[in-house]
Amino acid sequence: MPKILPLTLLSVSCAALLPATGSALSMSPPPRANPQPSKFVFKDPSGKPTSVDVVQSYQPTKIVRPFATGAKSDRQLDPKLMRAATIAEERAHAHSRRQCWHAVKEALLASGVISSRPKTEYAKQAGQELVNNYGFRKLPVNDPYQAPVGSVLVYNANRAAGHVELRTKDGFVSDFRSKKPSRRPLLGVFVKS
């Protein structure tokens, strides 16, 4: 007992002399000196000051579309084309296996856009066959990013098979997924109404 008494007196006197230590053990956070600003102010590309709300917590109704996808769906197009793009995306690999036209053919068949398998061997021939045999039409679009979701993009190549891909909401797909279109020259964007 004699040893416990000096330790108790020492701890009580320390708590009395150092009250800040005791308050530091409380679990509530200290009050904030400066609350978070509710607006973020910046200059847009033209130099005009602009402000936006600062999101301080998750608000599911506040942010409706956080990122613009760039790809638009066209209501006049066959909805099966969008389904073909989804099917191709589900089956796609991370990298090319040099089977782009084969993968697009399979997706078009599986979605019901076309009733029989196209016979052309090279991807650069896909557009002409889709127009002649399957009721597709060529859009007056020169920029792959402006192609509607589900459209078939056909690219040329001088001494190669070319490339074909489907436009998705987030990018492009054939036998692999990509955020960017092919660098080859675009022959055309084809859709079915």
Side-chain angles (χ1 to χ4, degrees):
M1 273 290 224
K3 291 182 182 180
I4 297 175
L5 186 61
L7 288 175
T8 307
L9 288 174
L10 181 64
S11 61
V12 170
S13 62
C14 285
L17 292 173
L18 303 169
T21 308
S23 68
L25 295 176
S26 75
M27 294 305 199
S28 62
R32 293 186 124 161
N34 295 335
Q36 292 267 341
S38 61
K39 294 275 188 189
F40 177 73
V41 180
F42 63 97
K43 290 185 180 179
D44 64 7
S46 66
K48 179 182 170 190
T50 308
S51 66
V52 293
D53 291 334
V54 174
V55 178
Q56 297 177 359
S57 62
Y58 176 68
Q59 299 172 353
T61 58
K62 186 111 175 165
I63 301 173
V64 179
R65 293 187 66 112
F67 305 106
T69 59
K72 296 180 180 142
S73 59
D74 189 348
R75 297 195 188 279
Q76 295 176 350
L77 299 182
D78 188 346
K80 293 177 185 175
L81 281 172
M82 286 183 259
R83 177 72 183 129
T86 304
I87 290 170
E89 206 167 23
E90 290 169 355
R91 297 176 179 178
H93 303 285
H95 302 286
S96 175
R97 298 202 174 168
R98 298 184 181 267
Q99 297 289 317
C100 61
W101 184 211
H102 176 78
V104 172
K105 285 179 192 179
E106 292 297 323
L108 292 172
L109 263 171
S111 66
V113 174
I114 58 176
S115 57
S116 63
R117 187 173 180 75
K119 301 200 183 334
T120 54
E121 187 176 341
Y122 297 119
K124 61 185 173 184
Q125 300 167 334
Q128 195 62 38
E129 183 175 16
L130 291 173
V131 169
N132 292 342
N133 300 340
Y134 298 101
F136 279 71
R137 62 185 167 87
K138 185 177 178 181
L139 293 179
V141 175
N142 296 323
D143 181 10
Y145 290 105
Q146 298 302 318
V149 175
S151 59
V152 180
L153 289 84
V154 180
Y155 299 90
N156 195 11
N158 290 334
R159 285 177 255 165
H163 182 64
V164 63
E165 60 193 5
L166 292 165
R167 180 70 163 117
T168 64
K169 291 179 185 176
D170 301 323
F172 306 86
V173 66
S174 56
D175 60 330
F176 67 99
R177 286 178 221 90
S178 176
K179 295 279 185 193
K180 297 179 182 176
S182 176
R183 290 180 285 176
R184 297 172 181 90
L186 181 67
L187 287 175
V189 177
F190 300 90
V191 295
K192 188 173 183 179
S193 298

